[in-house]
């Protein structure tokens, strides 16, 4: 099974009671079911169910406890470990039952072939009503709504089981729709979400997202492009916030979903509630880099979308009970924010159907209560602190809090405001206009200009904004409870102003960049800069604020965002893009490291300032004398550090560095060489601290498998400017494997400019003027200085054949463009420092015309025909023409009458071969009938004079009726060759 590394989580465990077991009906008084106890140090082992995500794909956020003994079937002696339905309803003050008439969709990747069977066991165990295909409660479809299910996957099956069980626990009377995407790509998961809505689900749970451990979990283009799948007004779209601590994942960052964070949930008999919650330190949270802030969010420390909105239990140390047999062994205990997404989706379903046209993620913000505020714990270090620390009111890890009943998840009284938005001058409908009633209620007009907005009863100032139009306003619009009010808006178009500028490199070279520029809200699509100058021109309606995004086509640059206000005059704008030191792929830059490297030269002890810390029961931890005789396979040489467990005993050892002064580092880095053999029940992690170990932040974990000569480079995000930073190499296992490291570097990572300049232009066909893709442009004296032309399908102002080439040498050089079947062309180019020089090429080739464009002739048997064909080269280079023959076809012209029919008596011998017996009176013996389909002997063809194009005749075979022989009839054919001659 492909799974992520086992990770150990510190958690304060309370003593829990025992839930009423059995598959009988649950007790109305819920008593907490004890999870498997944590170790003496408060840690519990778990593993990620789905492993690391590939680029463009999601991972599930289900975490499975690895210290739990599984069992299959109904538990009668004792209830399964982990929280059951009664526990969760008690913790969140939810009524029993609920969800009748609602459909809750679960969207996951791959197939769980035992999903329905496992669900049946879970529901029977806890006395919940059956939910099956036969009774119409359960339905499983592929992402197209059919039954062509994707490939079964034991890893994602754990996520599916968790989701189905949590929905059942909270809303046992609801119907469940499981939509299985073909794979975990966001394109297919998004298609599955759309299918769930198309099939009528008003509540959709998405317990997956991006892996943000080693960088941003958002992509500036992909994120915005994927939002369409999650933008379904009137549908409670719910997504987990992530399991890697502080950081933002997608789709939780989408402004259209309810982002669900995570808590540690424990029984607390001394409180009025009976439960206590703190921030789970693995929950995702933060401020989106790209997604706009929804109107209902009022926190002031994040200008964009803040994550999360609400939360639920997620700590694997306070897990929920799950039943899984495909990829599992029955009863298990799970955590992760994956548990929270289906819990909250089911809470929405119990609260009632969302109002059409509204976004249910706004409901908790408008409710003003109905949530338990979580005020303790953190998931990392950040500024402002509320984005990673549990605090009164809103915070990142838990949002507004956890459910306290249903009131925060419904709209309450409301009325409807509707109408049309049109162009004042033409009367044509305006699509996409934003209609605001107050600050928290917004919708957009459809293609026919119509809009409908459900709002709480109140008096509103209504505003309408559309691109290219002046804002429309209606003051003091009163909407009554259950009332319907119509307001139409006719908007005046406004003049536009020119915004021009340049996009340039901002990390040292300053050269112009070919870049894509988008404007939020601009329906006209992107514009592109000039590759040689970086210049661009936009036309934007005046009197509005705009947000621009610039993304370079050259690799290795970080996109830039800038806001501007367009007044009543043209203006200019400069955009600088930085070369990303961690991608390190921008041309003209090189990485330089400033810091110290530990080579572990001594074999008898840890280096000065380093220390080994072993847990109780671990006798030999990190060593430096290679006790297993593995040899240094880290990529270094000589001695190295290794954690080696030669037995199958519990092993927990830490190698902790001295403190590093990073107070002057703006981009601190940790790098090391590694070798390891990791199984799914091991934990390899690298952590960092700036408070002498009071808190540790995990910066790297290893996926299961084998690796050697592995070079690991990690940004120490959050530790820039810190005066005392330590790193820890932590190895936990109960299996006999190892982890070796060498050449540990901690310091500043500089990405400095190197001398050089750019050459850019297009390579086109001299005959047609079309751009040539795949042509090479190379400096003649140095083949290493080269570039390949590419297509530019998204830039309407620039044809294909674009190239950008970096040259580390300056001055005049011969640069050659070449492509197969074209004549090479060389130009002398004066390459200048920190500049982009233009050099375009028109490559010549032969171009043939044929007159006429086709020839044809029908020729009788033994005849010939002549046709003239003129071949002319209209291209700019010589062309070689080869003329040859190839086999053609035949057309039946006429069927001959043949000889008159004769009947000949003949007796067929039973066996052949043998000597021919004479006929009566010494006459020749009769011929044996030819096998059907064979050319008879009396109609053999004459060999063709042209072997490559033989003339063939087809004859009608004789009858094979025993005792008679019919005469053969041949047919007449003509031959037409592809060369036009016969």
């Amino acid at each position: 099974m492909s799974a992520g590394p086992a990770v150990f989580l510190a958690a304060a465990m309370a003593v829990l009671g025992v839930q009423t077991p059995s598959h009988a009906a649950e007790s109305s008084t819920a008593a907490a079911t004890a999870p498997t106890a944590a170790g003496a140090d408060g840690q519990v082992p778990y593993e990620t169910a789905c492993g690391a995500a590939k680029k463009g794909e999601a991972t599930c956020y289900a975490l499975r406890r690895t210290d739990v003994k599984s069992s299959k079937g109904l538990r009668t002696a004792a209830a399964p470990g982990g929280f059951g339905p009664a526990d969760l309803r008690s913790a969140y003050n939810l009524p029993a039952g609920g969800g009748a008439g609602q459909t809750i969709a679960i969207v996951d990747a791959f197939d769980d072939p035992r999903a329905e069977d496992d669900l049946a066991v879970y529901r029977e165990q806890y006395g919940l009503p059956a939910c099956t295909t036969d009774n119409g409660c359960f339905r499983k479809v592929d992402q197209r709504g059919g039954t062509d299910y994707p490939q079964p996957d034991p890893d994602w099956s754990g996520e599916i089981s968790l989701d189905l069980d949590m929905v059942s626990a909270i809303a046992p009377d609801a119907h469940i729709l499981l939509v299985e995407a073909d794979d975990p790509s966001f394109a297919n998961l998004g298609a599955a979400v759309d299918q769930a809505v198309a099939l009528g689900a008003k509540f959709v749970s998405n317990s997956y997202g991006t892996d943000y451990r080693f960088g941003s979990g958002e992509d500036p283009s992909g994120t915005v492009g994927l939002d369409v799948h999650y933008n379904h007004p009137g549908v409670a779209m719910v997504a987990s916030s992530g399991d890697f601590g502080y950081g933002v994942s997608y789709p939780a960052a989408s402004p259209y979903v309810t982002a669900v964070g995570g808590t540690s949930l424990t029984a607390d008999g001394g409180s009025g509630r009976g439960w206590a919650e703190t921030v789970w330190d693995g929950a995702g949270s933060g401020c989106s880099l790209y997604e706009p802030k929804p109107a209902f969010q009022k926190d002031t420390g994040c200008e964009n979308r803040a994550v999360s909105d609400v939360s639920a239990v997620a700590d694997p140390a306070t897990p929920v009970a799950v039943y899984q047999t495909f990829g599992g062994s029955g009863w298990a205990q799970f955590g992760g924010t994956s548990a929270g997404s289906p819990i909250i989706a089911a809470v929405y379903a119990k609260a009632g159907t969302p109002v059409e046209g509204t976004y249910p993620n706004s409901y908790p913000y408008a409710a003003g209560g109905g949530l338990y505020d979580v005020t303790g714990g953190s998931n990392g270090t950040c500024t402002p602190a509320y984005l990673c620390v549990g605090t009164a009111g809103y915070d990142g890890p838990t949002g507004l809090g956890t459910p306290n009943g249903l009131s925060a998840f419904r709209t309450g009284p409301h009325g409807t405001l509707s109408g049309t938005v049109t162009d004042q001058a033409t009367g044509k409908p305006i699509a996409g206009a934003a209609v605001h009633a107050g600050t928290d209620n917004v919708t957009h007009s459809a293609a026919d200009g119509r809009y409908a907005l459900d709002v709480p009863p109140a008096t509103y100032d209504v505003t309408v904004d559309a691109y290219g139009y002046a804002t429309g306003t209606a003051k003091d619009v009163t909407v009554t409870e259950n009332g319907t009010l119509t307001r139409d808006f006719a908007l005046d178009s406004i003049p536009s102003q020119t915004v021009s500028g340049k996009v340039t490199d901002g990390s040292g070279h300053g050269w112009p960049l070919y870049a894509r520029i988008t404007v939020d809200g601009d329906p006209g699509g992107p514009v592109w800069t000039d590759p040689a100058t970086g210049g661009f021109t936009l036309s934007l309606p005046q009197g509005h604020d705009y947000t621009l995004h610039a993304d370079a086509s050259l690799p290795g640059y970080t996109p830039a965002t800038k806001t501007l206000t367009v007044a009543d005059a043209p203006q200019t704008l400069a955009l600088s893009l930085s070369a990303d030191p961690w991608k390190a792929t921008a041309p003209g830059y090189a990485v330089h490291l400033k810091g110290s490297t530990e080579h572990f030269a001594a074999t008898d002890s840890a280096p000065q300032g380093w220390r080994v810390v072993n847990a109780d029961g671990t006798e030999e931890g990190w060593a430096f004398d290679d006790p297993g005789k593995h040899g240094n396979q880290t990529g270094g040489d000589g001695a190295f550090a290794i954690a080696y467990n030669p037995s199958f005993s519990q092993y927990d050892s830490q190698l902790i560095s001295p403190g590093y002064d990073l107070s002057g580092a703006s981009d601190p880095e940790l790098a090391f060489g590694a070798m390891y053999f990791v199984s799914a029940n091991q934990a390899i992690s690298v952590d960092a601290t700036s408070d002498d170990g009071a808190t540790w932040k995990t910066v790297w974990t290893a996926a299961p498998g084998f690796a050697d000569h592995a070079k690991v480079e990690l940004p120490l995000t959050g530790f820039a400017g810190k005066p005392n930073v330590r790193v820890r190499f932590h190895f936990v296992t109960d299996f006999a494997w190892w982890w070796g490291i060498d050449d540990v570097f901690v310091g500043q990572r500089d990405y400095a400019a190197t001398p050089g300049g750019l050459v850019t232009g297009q390579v086109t066909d001299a005959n047609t003027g079309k751009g040539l893709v795949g042509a090479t442009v190379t400096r003649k004296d140095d083949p290493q200085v080269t570039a390949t032309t590419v297509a530019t399908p998204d830039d309407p102002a620039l044809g294909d054949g674009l190239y950008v080439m970096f040259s580390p040498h300056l001055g005049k050089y011969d640069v050659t463009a070449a492509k197969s079947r074209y004549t090479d062309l060389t130009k002398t180019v004066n390459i200048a420092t920190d500049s982009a020089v233009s050099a375009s090429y028109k490559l010549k080739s032969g171009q043939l015309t044929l007159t006429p464009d086709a020839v044809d002739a029908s020729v009788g048997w033994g005849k010939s025909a002549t046709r003239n064909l003129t071949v002319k080269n209209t291209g700019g280079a010589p062309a070689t023409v080869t003329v040859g023959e190839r086999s053609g076809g035949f057309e039946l012209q006429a069927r001959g009458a043949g000889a008159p029919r004769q009947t000949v008596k003949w007796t067929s011998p039973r066996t052949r071969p043998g000597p021919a017996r004479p006929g009566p009176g010494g006459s020749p013996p009769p011929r044996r009938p030819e096998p059907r389909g064979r050319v008879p002997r009396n109609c053999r063809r004459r060999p063709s004079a042209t072997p490559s194009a033989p003339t063939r005749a087809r004859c009608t075979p004789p009858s094979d009726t025993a005792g008679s022989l019919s005469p053969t009839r041949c047919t007449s054919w003509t031959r037409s060759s592809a060369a036009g001659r016969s």
Side-chain angles (χ1 to χ4, degrees):
M1 181 176 74
S2 174
V7 183
F8 284 70
L9 177 68
M13 296 294 297
V15 178
L16 304 179
V18 178
Q19 183 184 26
T20 304
S22 87
H23 43 282
E26 285 189 286
S27 169
S28 59
T29 302
T33 306
T36 300
D41 58 357
Q43 295 182 332
V44 298
Y46 64 86
E47 64 186 5
T48 59
C50 298
K54 299 177 181 178
K55 182 176 177 59
E57 294 186 350
T59 185
C60 71
Y61 290 142
L63 304 176
R64 181 190 297 108
R65 287 277 291 266
T66 58
D67 58 338
V68 175
K69 184 178 181 180
S70 299
S71 63
K72 290 187 177 181
L74 298 173
R75 298 281 296 271
T76 57
F83 297 136
D87 303 320
L88 297 172
R89 293 201 307 269
S90 172
Y92 297 127
N93 190 27
L94 301 173
Q102 307 288 15
T103 296
I104 304 171
I106 300 297
V107 173
D108 283 312
F110 299 118
D111 178 41
D112 179 358
R114 299 179 194 161
E116 185 173 356
D117 294 337
D118 289 350
L119 178 63
V121 175
Y122 180 90
R123 294 176 74 104
E124 185 176 357
Q125 176 71 49
Y126 291 109
L128 305 177
C131 186
T132 67
T133 301
D134 290 342
N135 68 16
C137 173
F138 178 78
R139 183 182 181 188
K140 182 172 78 169
V141 298
D142 60 34
Q143 69 183 51
R144 289 159 292 278
T147 57
D148 185 15
Y149 304 127
Q151 178 181 352
D153 184 84
D155 298 347
W156 276 83
S157 291
E159 177 64 63
I160 291 173
S161 295
L162 171 61
D163 292 344
L164 296 177
D165 293 354
M166 291 305 97
V167 165
S168 299
I170 302 300
D173 298 329
H175 287 190
I176 301 176
L177 172 65
L178 172 60
V179 186
E180 297 179 330
D182 291 348
D183 56 46
S185 68
F186 275 103
N188 285 329
L189 286 167
V193 170
D194 292 335
Q195 185 61 240
V197 176
L199 292 176
K202 294 295 184 182
F203 315 91
V204 182
S205 174
N206 304 274
S207 296
Y208 56 82
T210 50
D211 187 336
Y212 56 90
R213 285 175 290 180
F214 313 121
S216 173
E218 301 178 272
D219 180 87
S221 56
T223 297
V224 176
L226 292 170
D227 271 346
V228 64
H229 299 297
Y230 303 94
N231 183 4
H232 293 281
V235 176
M237 196 67 62
V238 186
S240 304
S241 70
D243 292 346
F244 309 119
Y246 178 71
V248 176
S249 68
Y250 189 87
S254 173
Y256 305 111
V257 310
T258 300
V260 183
T263 68
S264 298
L265 174 68
T266 55
D268 182 5
S271 68
R273 175 187 174 189
W275 299 86
E277 283 182 287
T278 58
V279 170
W280 174 48
D281 62 6
S285 69
C287 184
S288 172
L289 294 175
Y290 311 109
E291 294 284 14
K293 197 173 197 67
F296 52 77
Q297 281 195 323
K298 303 301 182 184
D299 61 299
T300 59
C302 170
E303 293 185 356
N304 290 340
R305 163 74 156 132
V307 176
S308 300
D309 297 311
V310 294
S311 53
V313 60
D315 190 346
T318 63
V320 297
V322 173
Y323 191 77
Q324 176 200 2
T325 61
F326 185 72
S329 300
W331 288 105
Q333 297 178 24
F334 276 73
T337 55
S338 274
S341 180
I343 286 174
I344 296 300
V347 171
Y348 271 114
K350 289 170 77 84
T353 304
V355 174
E356 185 178 354
T358 66
Y359 288 97
N361 59 347
S362 67
Y363 296 177
Y365 292 86
L371 295 161
Y372 291 117
D373 194 7
V374 181
T375 58
S378 70
N379 65 352
T381 303
C382 65
T383 301
Y386 78 87
L387 290 175
C388 60
V389 177
T391 187
Y394 178 85
D395 60 67
T398 68
L400 296 171
T402 58
N404 178 8
L406 303 175
S407 62
F409 299 89
R410 56 167 64 110
T411 57
H414 64 278
T416 302
L417 174 67
S418 62
T420 58
V421 183
T422 57
D423 185 298
Q424 175 69 50
T426 66
K428 293 181 178 180
I430 300 174
V435 182
H436 295 261
T439 58
D440 297 337
N441 307 288
V442 61
T443 190
H444 294 81
S445 59
D448 61 0
R450 296 181 181 275
Y451 74 92
L453 185 62
D454 288 278
V455 295
T459 298
Y460 298 95
D461 288 341
V462 181
T463 59
V464 181
D465 289 299
Y467 186 84
Y469 291 88
T471 299
T473 304
K475 297 284 189 180
D476 300 327
V477 176
T478 300
V479 179
T480 60
E481 183 174 350
N482 298 322
T484 300
L485 183 66
T486 300
R487 284 288 186 272
D488 296 331
F489 294 85
L491 305 184
D492 294 314
S493 61
I494 57 177
S496 295
Q497 296 295 335
T498 298
V499 177
S500 58
K502 290 185 177 182
V503 178
T504 58
D505 167 275
S507 294
H509 282 295
W511 47 43
L513 293 174
Y514 180 54
R516 178 178 182 265
I517 297 177
T518 58
V519 181
D520 290 350
D522 183 355
V527 298
W528 293 78
T529 63
D530 184 295
T533 66
F536 67 90
T537 300
L538 293 167
S539 181
L540 299 176
Q542 67 184 33
H544 287 272
D545 296 332
Y546 297 94
T547 301
L548 279 68
H549 308 278
D551 192 2
S553 66
L554 278 177
Y557 281 92
T558 302
T561 298
K562 195 161 187 176
T563 59
L564 77 157
T565 300
V566 177
D568 56 358
Q571 59 181 289
T572 58
L573 180 68
L575 290 168
S576 296
L577 306 187
S578 298
D580 189 328
W582 297 101
K583 292 181 179 177
T585 54
Y589 288 89
V591 173
H592 297 285
L593 302 178
K594 297 179 182 177
S596 60
T597 302
E598 179 54 60
H599 300 291
F600 301 104
T603 60
D604 55 348
S605 64
Q608 184 177 359
W610 290 72
R611 57 193 175 96
V612 176
V613 178
N614 295 329
D616 293 342
T618 301
E619 297 180 359
E620 296 183 7
W622 283 89
F624 309 92
D625 58 352
D626 193 9
K629 306 304 179 186
H630 295 89
N632 191 342
Q633 301 296 318
T634 67
D637 52 27
F640 62 104
I642 187 169
Y644 171 51
N645 184 22
S647 66
F648 290 85
S649 60
Q650 185 66 35
Y651 182 99
D652 184 340
S653 183
Q654 307 173 45
L655 177 61
I656 302 176
S657 76
Y660 294 94
D661 184 2
L662 300 181
S663 57
S666 57
D667 287 303
E669 172 182 325
L670 166 64
F672 57 92
M675 56 184 251
Y676 54 81
F677 201 160
V678 186
S679 63
N681 61 338
Q682 293 175 288
I684 283 183
S685 67
V686 179
D687 315 302
T689 181
S690 59
D691 54 12
D692 285 326
T695 58
W696 292 92
K697 179 177 176 62
T698 299
V699 296
W700 182 78
T701 59
F706 173 82
D708 59 17
H709 296 82
K711 178 68 172 178
V712 181
E713 295 179 304
L714 306 169
L716 290 176
T717 305
F719 295 94
K722 304 293 184 181
N724 183 27
V725 177
R726 299 176 187 273
V727 295
R728 174 178 70 178
F729 300 86
H730 194 184
F731 187 42
V732 182
T733 181
D734 56 7
F735 211 66
W737 302 123
W738 66 87
W739 179 23
I741 62 170
D742 199 3
D743 301 331
V744 178
F745 168 83
V746 178
Q748 168 71 7
R749 180 186 181 94
D750 287 328
Y751 198 44
T754 59
L758 299 180
V759 181
T760 184
Q762 282 181 280
V763 179
T764 56
D765 185 313
N767 296 323
T768 65
K770 295 182 178 180
L772 297 177
V773 176
T776 59
V777 181
T778 307
R779 219 178 66 192
K780 200 170 183 179
D781 67 310
D782 187 353
Q784 299 300 315
V785 180
T786 187
T788 302
T789 59
V790 297
T792 57
D794 299 327
D795 186 353
L798 184 67
D800 293 342
L802 175 70
Y803 76 92
V804 180
M805 182 183 75
F806 171 74
S807 172
H809 303 101
L810 306 173
K812 294 183 178 181
Y813 291 92
D814 288 340
V815 179
T816 301
K819 185 173 174 61
S820 175
R821 299 186 179 182
Y822 287 84
T823 302
D824 293 357
L825 180 60
T826 299
K827 291 185 176 183
T828 300
V829 180
N830 190 6
I831 304 172
T833 183
D834 299 336
S835 301
V837 179
S838 294
S840 291
Y841 296 80
K842 296 181 179 180
L843 300 189
K844 297 178 180 180
S845 68
Q847 179 172 263
L848 302 182
T849 60
L850 304 179
T851 307
D853 57 0
V855 291
D856 185 72
S858 295
V859 185
W861 190 266
K863 305 297 182 180
S864 65
T866 301
R867 297 290 186 269
N868 293 324
L869 177 67
T870 302
V871 180
K872 185 177 181 181
N873 180 10
T874 62
T880 301
V881 179
T882 301
V883 179
E885 282 189 343
R886 62 179 180 180
S887 298
F890 298 88
E891 295 178 4
L892 177 64
Q893 299 297 303
R895 186 180 297 274
R901 180 182 180 86
Q902 297 181 21
T903 301
V904 179
K905 297 291 185 181
W906 174 63
T907 301
S908 176
R910 290 181 177 273
T911 59
R912 292 193 71 200
R917 296 181 181 180
S923 62
R927 294 175 182 264
R928 185 172 67 91
E930 295 288 339
R932 182 176 297 276
R934 180 180 296 175
V935 178
R937 292 183 179 88
N938 64 342
C939 195
R940 293 298 188 191
R941 64 177 180 265
R942 178 175 297 176
S944 169
T946 308
S948 63
T951 300
R952 288 182 285 181
R954 190 180 70 180
C955 301
T956 303
S959 170
D960 59 357
T961 304
S964 65
L965 177 66
S966 298
T968 301
R969 293 187 301 170
C970 297
T971 56
S972 175
W973 299 78
T974 61
R975 168 173 159 262
S976 300
S977 76
R981 295 182 296 150
S982 297

